[in-house]
Amino acid sequence: MNTAIALKIARIPLRGSSVTIQTKDRSKGPGSLVSKVGQSLRHAIASGQYVPGDKLPSEVELTETHRVSRTVVREAVAAMKSDGLVEVRQGAGIFVLDPDIQAPFNRRIDKARVSSDLEVLEVRAPLEIEAAGLAALRRSPAQEEAIFECHRQILRCIENDQSIREADLALHFAIADATNNPLFRQHLEFHGAAAIPQSKVMPDPRPADQTAYRRMIHKEHEVIVMAISDRDEEAARNAMRDHLRGSQIRYRDLLRDFRAFSS
């Protein structure tokens, strides 16, 4: 293994490690706020504070309770909706879903949503490939550490059997920030949660499959992160291209499966 890469990997603390890295405080960033609100709502559901069929507080109430903008609340709810935890009923509110109800396959796959996610991926690809290359050239030491921390957070989510959606988006935000061109982050913020399609469109995938998928995504991210850390512009672009191309292929496969089942 390349010595420089080995040293960089060594800086990523393993589970249970006492190593502490000083990084810039980003606790007030949009990605962190979305994650904070999402985790609070997920905990409330998991603890039984809200049970299937219950209505969650309104958007206005959530913004006041968590002291965040409506955009942050909408992104957190969108991520939970994609994970099959809640349902947004127009004019009625946000309701907790029953994870034990198994819907038929052709109802569990939302064809329109898969198509929309694929469209976002196609538009996002050239900009994010460019962002990865620029991040490799321009990233500061603090920005490099922020990228590493986001990558570590994804691993923590995997180890705790949690959705990686919000942590995934935070990593892409960190890469966009490392370009030092604010338009790259604005592009991701515009698409919001749709910029990071859910790993499984069905809300009830087998746990082993879900974990395997998340670890695969983490491995793809690792190649991108290490290339940016090494200031290898070409490798960073190629790694991001491979990552996004893989996502597009997976979503096209879902659409093909949907058509086959529906025919």
Side-chain angles (χ1 to χ4, degrees), residues 159-193:
E159 292 175 338
N160 293 322
D161 195 27
Q162 298 173 343
S163 169
I164 65 171
R165 189 186 185 93
E166 291 164 10
D168 191 335
L169 182 58
L171 173 62
H172 285 272
F173 275 147
I175 293 172
D177 288 341
T179 67
N180 293 297
N181 179 338
L183 294 181
F184 283 101
R185 185 183 182 106
Q186 288 175 24
H187 164 73
L188 284 178
E189 289 177 338
F190 174 78
H191 290 295

Coordinates of all heavy atoms in Angstrom, one line a residue, residues 159-193:
E159 N -22.8 0.9 10.9 CA -22.6 0.0 12.1 C -23.7 0.0 13.0 O -24.0 -1.0 13.7 CB -21.3 0.5 12.8 CG -20.0 0.2 12.0 CD -18.8 0.8 12.7 OE1 -19.0 1.7 13.5 OE2 -17.7 0.3 12.4
N160 N -24.5 1.1 13.1 CA -25.7 1.2 13.9 C -27.0 0.9 13.2 O -28.1 1.1 13.8 CB -25.8 2.7 14.5 CG -24.6 3.0 15.4 OD1 -24.2 2.1 16.2 ND2 -24.1 4.2 15.4
D161 N -26.8 0.4 12.0 CA -28.0 0.0 11.2 C -29.0 1.1 11.0 O -30.2 0.9 11.1 CB -28.7 -1.2 11.8 CG -29.7 -1.9 10.9 OD1 -29.4 -1.8 9.7 OD2 -30.7 -2.5 11.3
Q162 N -28.4 2.3 10.6 CA -29.3 3.5 10.4 C -29.2 3.8 8.9 O -28.2 3.5 8.2 CB -28.8 4.6 11.2 CG -28.9 4.4 12.7 CD -28.2 5.5 13.5 OE1 -27.4 6.3 13.0 NE2 -28.5 5.6 14.8
S163 N -30.1 4.6 8.5 CA -30.1 5.1 7.1 C -28.9 6.0 6.9 O -28.5 6.7 7.8 CB -31.4 5.9 6.8 OG -31.2 6.6 5.6
I164 N -28.2 5.8 5.7 CA -27.0 6.7 5.4 C -27.4 7.9 4.6 O -26.5 8.6 4.2 CB -26.0 5.8 4.7 CG1 -26.5 5.4 3.3 CG2 -25.5 4.6 5.6 CD1 -25.4 4.7 2.5
R165 N -28.7 8.1 4.3 CA -29.1 9.1 3.4 C -28.6 10.5 3.7 O -28.0 11.2 2.9 CB -30.6 9.1 3.2 CG -31.1 10.0 2.1 CD -32.7 10.0 2.2 NE -33.2 10.8 1.0 CZ -33.6 10.2 -0.1 NH1 -33.4 8.9 -0.3 NH2 -34.0 11.0 -1.1
E166 N -28.8 10.9 5.0 CA -28.4 12.2 5.4 C -26.9 12.4 5.5 O -26.4 13.4 5.1 CB -29.1 12.5 6.8 CG -30.6 12.7 6.7 CD -31.3 12.6 8.0 OE1 -30.6 12.6 9.0 OE2 -32.6 12.5 8.0
A167 N -26.2 11.3 6.0 CA -24.8 11.4 6.1 C -24.2 11.4 4.7 O -23.1 12.0 4.4 CB -24.3 10.2 6.9
D168 N -24.8 10.7 3.8 CA -24.3 10.7 2.4 C -24.4 12.1 1.8 O -23.5 12.6 1.1 CB -25.2 9.7 1.6 CG -24.7 9.4 0.2 OD1 -24.0 10.2 -0.4 OD2 -25.0 8.3 -0.4
L169 N -25.6 12.7 2.0 CA -25.7 14.1 1.5 C -24.7 15.0 2.1 O -24.1 15.9 1.4 CB -27.1 14.6 1.7 CG -27.5 16.0 1.2 CD1 -27.3 16.0 -0.3 CD2 -28.9 16.3 1.6
A170 N -24.5 14.9 3.4 CA -23.5 15.7 4.1 C -22.1 15.6 3.5 O -21.3 16.5 3.3 CB -23.4 15.4 5.6
L171 N -21.7 14.3 3.1 CA -20.4 14.1 2.4 C -20.3 14.9 1.1 O -19.3 15.5 0.8 CB -20.2 12.6 2.2 CG -18.9 12.3 1.4 CD1 -17.7 12.7 2.1 CD2 -18.9 10.8 1.2
H172 N -21.4 14.8 0.3 CA -21.4 15.5 -1.0 C -21.4 17.0 -0.8 O -20.8 17.7 -1.6 CB -22.6 15.0 -1.8 CG -22.4 13.6 -2.4 ND1 -21.7 13.4 -3.6 CD2 -22.7 12.4 -1.9 CE1 -21.7 12.1 -3.9 NE2 -22.3 11.5 -2.9
F173 N -22.0 17.5 0.3 CA -22.0 18.9 0.6 C -20.5 19.3 0.9 O -20.0 20.3 0.5 CB -22.8 19.2 1.8 CG -24.3 19.5 1.5 CD1 -25.3 19.1 2.4 CD2 -24.7 20.1 0.3 CE1 -26.6 19.3 2.1 CE2 -26.0 20.3 0.0 CZ -27.0 20.0 0.9
A174 N -19.8 18.4 1.7 CA -18.4 18.7 2.1 C -17.5 18.8 0.9 O -16.6 19.6 0.8 CB -18.0 17.7 3.1
I175 N -17.7 17.9 -0.1 CA -16.9 17.9 -1.3 C -17.2 19.1 -2.1 O -16.3 19.8 -2.6 CB -17.2 16.6 -2.1 CG1 -16.7 15.4 -1.4 CG2 -16.6 16.7 -3.5 CD1 -17.1 14.1 -2.0
A176 N -18.5 19.5 -2.2 CA -18.9 20.7 -2.9 C -18.2 22.0 -2.3 O -17.7 22.9 -3.0 CB -20.4 20.9 -3.0
D177 N -18.2 22.0 -0.9 CA -17.6 23.1 -0.2 C -16.1 23.2 -0.5 O -15.6 24.3 -0.6 CB -17.8 23.0 1.3 CG -19.3 23.2 1.7 OD1 -20.0 23.8 0.9 OD2 -19.6 22.8 2.8
A178 N -15.5 22.1 -0.7 CA -14.0 22.0 -0.9 C -13.6 22.6 -2.3 O -12.5 22.8 -2.6 CB -13.5 20.6 -0.8
T179 N -14.6 22.8 -3.2 CA -14.3 23.4 -4.5 C -14.1 24.9 -4.3 O -13.5 25.6 -5.1 CB -15.5 23.3 -5.5 OG1 -16.6 24.0 -5.0 CG2 -15.9 21.8 -5.7
N180 N -14.6 25.4 -3.1 CA -14.5 26.9 -2.9 C -15.2 27.7 -3.9 O -14.9 28.9 -4.2 CB -13.1 27.3 -2.7 CG -12.4 26.8 -1.5 OD1 -12.8 27.0 -0.4 ND2 -11.4 25.9 -1.7
N181 N -16.2 27.0 -4.5 CA -17.2 27.7 -5.4 C -18.5 27.4 -4.9 O -19.0 26.3 -5.0 CB -17.0 27.1 -6.9 CG -18.0 27.8 -7.9 OD1 -19.0 28.3 -7.5 ND2 -17.7 27.7 -9.1
P182 N -19.2 28.4 -4.3 CA -20.5 28.2 -3.6 C -21.6 27.6 -4.5 O -22.6 27.1 -4.1 CB -20.9 29.5 -3.1 CG -20.1 30.5 -3.9 CD -18.8 29.8 -4.3
L183 N -21.5 27.8 -5.9 CA -22.5 27.4 -6.8 C -22.7 25.8 -6.8 O -23.8 25.3 -7.0 CB -22.3 27.9 -8.2 CG -22.3 29.4 -8.4 CD1 -22.1 29.7 -9.8 CD2 -23.7 29.9 -7.9
F184 N -21.6 25.1 -6.5 CA -21.7 23.7 -6.4 C -22.6 23.2 -5.3 O -23.4 22.3 -5.4 CB -20.3 23.0 -6.3 CG -19.5 23.0 -7.6 CD1 -18.5 23.9 -7.8 CD2 -19.8 22.1 -8.6 CE1 -17.8 23.9 -9.0 CE2 -19.1 22.0 -9.8 CZ -18.1 23.0 -10.0
R185 N -22.4 23.8 -4.1 CA -23.3 23.5 -3.0 C -24.7 23.9 -3.2 O -25.7 23.2 -2.9 CB -22.8 24.1 -1.7 CG -23.6 23.6 -0.5 CD -23.2 24.3 0.8 NE -24.0 23.8 1.9 CZ -23.5 22.9 2.8 NH1 -22.3 22.5 2.8 NH2 -24.3 22.5 3.8
Q186 N -24.9 25.1 -3.8 CA -26.2 25.6 -4.1 C -27.0 24.6 -5.1 O -28.2 24.4 -4.9 CB -26.2 27.0 -4.8 CG -25.8 28.1 -3.8 CD -25.6 29.4 -4.5 OE1 -26.2 29.6 -5.5 NE2 -24.8 30.3 -3.9
H187 N -26.2 24.0 -6.0 CA -26.8 23.0 -6.9 C -27.4 21.9 -6.1 O -28.5 21.4 -6.3 CB -25.8 22.6 -7.9 CG -26.2 21.3 -8.6 ND1 -27.2 21.3 -9.6 CD2 -25.8 20.0 -8.5 CE1 -27.3 20.0 -10.0 NE2 -26.5 19.2 -9.4
L188 N -26.6 21.3 -5.2 CA -27.1 20.2 -4.4 C -28.2 20.6 -3.4 O -29.2 19.8 -3.3 CB -25.9 19.7 -3.5 CG -24.9 18.8 -4.2 CD1 -23.8 18.4 -3.3 CD2 -25.5 17.6 -4.9
E189 N -28.1 21.8 -2.8 CA -29.2 22.2 -2.0 C -30.5 22.4 -2.7 O -31.6 22.2 -2.2 CB -28.8 23.5 -1.3 CG -27.7 23.3 -0.2 CD -27.3 24.7 0.4 OE1 -27.5 25.7 -0.3 OE2 -26.7 24.6 1.5
F190 N -30.4 22.8 -4.0 CA -31.6 23.0 -4.8 C -32.4 21.7 -4.9 O -33.6 21.6 -4.8 CB -31.3 23.5 -6.2 CG -32.4 23.6 -7.1 CD1 -33.3 24.7 -7.0 CD2 -32.6 22.7 -8.1 CE1 -34.4 24.8 -7.9 CE2 -33.7 22.7 -9.0 CZ -34.6 23.8 -8.9
H191 N -31.6 20.6 -5.2 CA -32.3 19.3 -5.3 C -32.6 18.6 -4.0 O -33.5 17.8 -3.9 CB -31.4 18.4 -6.2 CG -31.3 18.8 -7.6 ND1 -32.4 18.7 -8.4 CD2 -30.2 19.2 -8.3 CE1 -32.0 19.2 -9.7 NE2 -30.7 19.4 -9.6
G192 N -31.9 19.0 -2.9 CA -32.2 18.5 -1.6 C -32.0 17.0 -1.5 O -31.1 16.4 -2.1
A193 N -33.0 16.4 -0.8 CA -32.9 14.9 -0.6 C -32.9 14.1 -1.9 O -32.4 13.0 -1.9 CB -34.0 14.5 0.3

